[in-house]
Amino acid sequence: MESAALTPRQGPQGTPGAAEVDEFVVVFYEHTVGRADFSPTGVAGELGVPRQRVEHAVAVLRELRLVKPAEGRAGRLVAVSPEAAQMELLVPLEREILDSRRRLAGFKGQLSSFVAAFEKQSKARAEPVVITDDREEIELRLLQAAQGCTTEVLVVQPCVARETRELRLARPLILEALRRGAQGRIIYPHTARGDSDTRAHLGELLSAGGQVRTTKEVRDRFLVFDRKTAFIPAGEGEAIAVVYEGAVAAFLAGLHGRLWESAFDFDSGAAGYAGTLEDLKATLLDLLASGAKDEVIARRVGMSERTFRRHVATIMQDLSATSRFQAGVLAARTGLVDPAPRSDAA
């Protein structure tokens, strides 16, 4: 008879906790509706159930404001209509939500003042390139570019687990730009399909109207807003070059377009690598044959070295190879990789 139908979530003080609403709680409530008052012990006898079960039902109903003490009658309770309970329980929550929205609007208004001041100073300086590793400045410049974006956002980046600081800061800003109507084309490595955190973020991008594709290699990372402002790495550290030069942004947009043409569409409903695994395996073999180091290959395809070595072990097993060299030879013989040597094995 007991089948959990609803578990009230933890809310502010005075709202339901973790008590379960099951079928018996509903039966108990129905049995008491319409009475002038009742005692839990009496209802337990009428229904032929243990007292503990009735006490649990009463506790749940009191949390939901569906029963309350009867006036002037100690130990007696009275059932309350759902409409009255809703007024007591939900109206304060709705008021709190409204207050939160007002505070949010206030914060946005305050930030807009800072954005305007920053934009004024940026125009006065007319700096075509700004290199910085200051988190606050990077965040402010991202905010400025994203809020001014009206047509297009272009992104190339690694998986969420390997994303850099500016990409992590940019995530909510990109989603907001997409929801405002800007078009978004986002490229990730194939390995994003096997990472649960990244898949969840890609699902958010798709829901917001963005387009997502994956490719076999991600050699670089960059963001371009409206083909006007670009964010690119500035060396090996966390410093970022913010480029306010249309020619550079246009060049990156062209590079993004070439990557996009050969990339594979991402469908959040498709499981696993969804047809891209062979493309990824061929890339790994090709890079192995080039003599590139493990850390270089792992970075290029967007995975950890540990995950990369696990993939290599699987590939060697599939090819019945006893060494990486033998795997490369067998892959070339079977046409899995291009036998021509690569010149980028750094």
Side-chain angles (χ1 to χ4, degrees), residues 129-206:
V129 180
V130 176
I131 298 178
T132 178
D133 61 359
D134 182 82
R135 176 191 171 94
E136 291 186 2
E137 183 175 5
I138 291 172
E139 190 168 10
L140 190 57
R141 290 184 183 274
L142 280 168
L143 180 64
Q144 178 193 29
Q147 287 192 335
C149 178
T150 58
T151 59
E152 180 183 64
V153 184
L154 304 176
V155 185
V156 175
Q157 73 170 73
C159 294
V160 166
R162 296 175 64 87
E163 71 182 356
T164 52
R165 184 172 60 184
E166 85 279 1
L167 293 172
R168 187 163 57 252
L169 293 171
R171 268 205 274 164
L173 301 176
I174 292 170
L175 284 169
E176 185 180 346
L178 296 179
R179 289 170 182 146
R180 288 200 312 268
Q183 293 184 342
R185 292 190 296 169
I186 299 93
I187 298 176
Y188 274 82
H190 288 325
T191 47
R193 297 171 181 264
D195 181 80
S196 58
D197 289 338
T198 306
R199 288 183 67 92
H201 175 54
L202 299 190
E204 287 184 317
L205 290 169
L206 292 174

Side-chain angles (χ1 to χ4, degrees), residues 263-300:
F264 292 69
D265 284 329
F266 175 80
D267 178 2
S268 58
Y273 283 87
T276 64
L277 189 56
E278 291 306 313
D279 193 44
L280 177 60
K281 284 183 178 179
T283 302
L284 293 176
L285 283 165
D286 196 22
L287 291 168
L288 281 171
S290 75
K293 297 178 181 178
D294 286 3
E295 61 180 308
V296 173
I297 299 175
R299 185 171 61 250
R300 288 265 285 274

Side-chain angles (χ1 to χ4, degrees), residues 22 76 89-90 93 118 135 165 171 185 217 225 258 272 284 304 323 325 333:
D22 56 28
R76 307 286 291 184
L89 191 63
L90 300 186
L93 288 177
F118 184 84
R135 176 191 171 94
R165 184 172 60 184
R171 268 205 274 164
R185 292 190 296 169
E217 292 185 60
F225 293 94
R258 290 188 290 276
L284 293 176
S304 67
S323 68
F325 176 76
R333 286 178 180 174

Side-chain angles (χ1 to χ4, degrees), residues 8-336:
R9 296 181 179 178
Q10 186 67 41
Q13 186 176 5
T15 63
E20 290 186 352
V21 174
D22 56 28
E23 187 177 345
F24 177 73
V25 174
V26 179
V27 170
F28 182 91
Y29 174 73
E30 185 178 5
H31 195 75
T32 60
V33 169
R35 298 187 179 195
D37 56 46
F38 66 88
S39 73
T41 304
V43 175
E46 294 169 13
L47 296 176
V49 295
R51 179 179 176 181
Q52 293 85 347
R53 198 172 184 191
V54 169
E55 288 175 349
H56 167 76
V58 169
V60 174
L61 292 172
R62 292 192 72 161
E63 282 187 327
L64 294 174
R65 307 299 191 268
L66 288 169
V67 298
K68 66 179 182 179
E71 292 185 12
R73 307 207 53 185
R76 307 286 291 184
L77 301 171
V78 61
V80 177
S81 72
E83 291 79 8
Q86 180 170 305
M87 289 294 294
E88 182 179 352
L89 191 63
L90 300 186
V91 167
L93 288 177
E94 291 173 350
R95 186 179 299 115
E96 189 171 317
I97 291 171
L98 181 60
D99 289 342
S100 296
R101 286 177 177 169
R102 287 172 178 166
R103 287 198 299 272
L104 178 61
F107 287 137
K108 284 186 175 180
Q110 290 174 328
L111 282 174
S112 296
S113 300
F114 286 104
V115 170
F118 184 84
E119 187 174 20
K120 181 179 179 180
Q121 281 297 100
S122 296
K123 289 179 179 178
R125 290 194 301 269
E127 297 172 302
V129 180
V130 176
I131 298 178
T132 178
D133 61 359
D134 182 82
R135 176 191 171 94
E136 291 186 2
E137 183 175 5
I138 291 172
E139 190 168 10
L140 190 57
R141 290 184 183 274
L142 280 168
L143 180 64
Q144 178 193 29
Q147 287 192 335
C149 178
T150 58
T151 59
E152 180 183 64
V153 184
L154 304 176
V155 185
V156 175
Q157 73 170 73
C159 294
V160 166
R162 296 175 64 87
E163 71 182 356
T164 52
R165 184 172 60 184
E166 85 279 1
L167 293 172
R168 187 163 57 252
L169 293 171
R171 268 205 274 164
L173 301 176
I174 292 170
L175 284 169
E176 185 180 346
L178 296 179
R179 289 170 182 146
R180 288 200 312 268
Q183 293 184 342
R185 292 190 296 169
I186 299 93
I187 298 176
Y188 274 82
H190 288 325
T191 47
R193 297 171 181 264
D195 181 80
S196 58
D197 289 338
T198 306
R199 288 183 67 92
H201 175 54
L202 299 190
E204 287 184 317
L205 290 169
L206 292 174
S207 298
Q211 295 176 274
V212 180
R213 289 186 179 181
T214 65
T215 186
K216 55 188 178 182
E217 292 185 60
V218 173
R219 303 193 187 192
D220 305 294
R221 70 179 196 271
F222 58 81
L223 304 172
V224 180
F225 293 94
D226 281 348
R227 305 200 179 202
K228 295 178 181 178
T229 308
F231 292 79
I232 60 177
E236 294 295 324
E238 292 194 331
I240 294 300
V242 187
V243 184
Y244 300 100
E245 174 54 60
V248 175
F251 172 80
L252 291 173
L255 174 60
H256 188 284
R258 290 188 290 276
L259 286 172
W260 188 260
E261 289 176 3
S262 60
F264 292 69
D265 284 329
F266 175 80
D267 178 2
S268 58
Y273 283 87
T276 64
L277 189 56
E278 291 306 313
D279 193 44
L280 177 60
K281 284 183 178 179
T283 302
L284 293 176
L285 283 165
D286 196 22
L287 291 168
L288 281 171
S290 75
K293 297 178 181 178
D294 286 3
E295 61 180 308
V296 173
I297 299 175
R299 185 171 61 250
R300 288 265 285 274
V301 298
M303 65 175 64
S304 67
E305 289 185 55
R306 183 177 180 181
T307 302
F308 162 69
R309 294 189 183 108
R310 189 164 61 244
H311 276 285
V312 171
T314 301
I315 291 171
M316 289 174 61
Q317 184 177 3
D318 291 344
L319 292 171
S320 299
T322 57
S323 68
R324 292 187 179 188
F325 176 76
Q326 186 182 22
V329 172
L330 292 172
R333 286 178 180 174
T334 55
L336 290 175

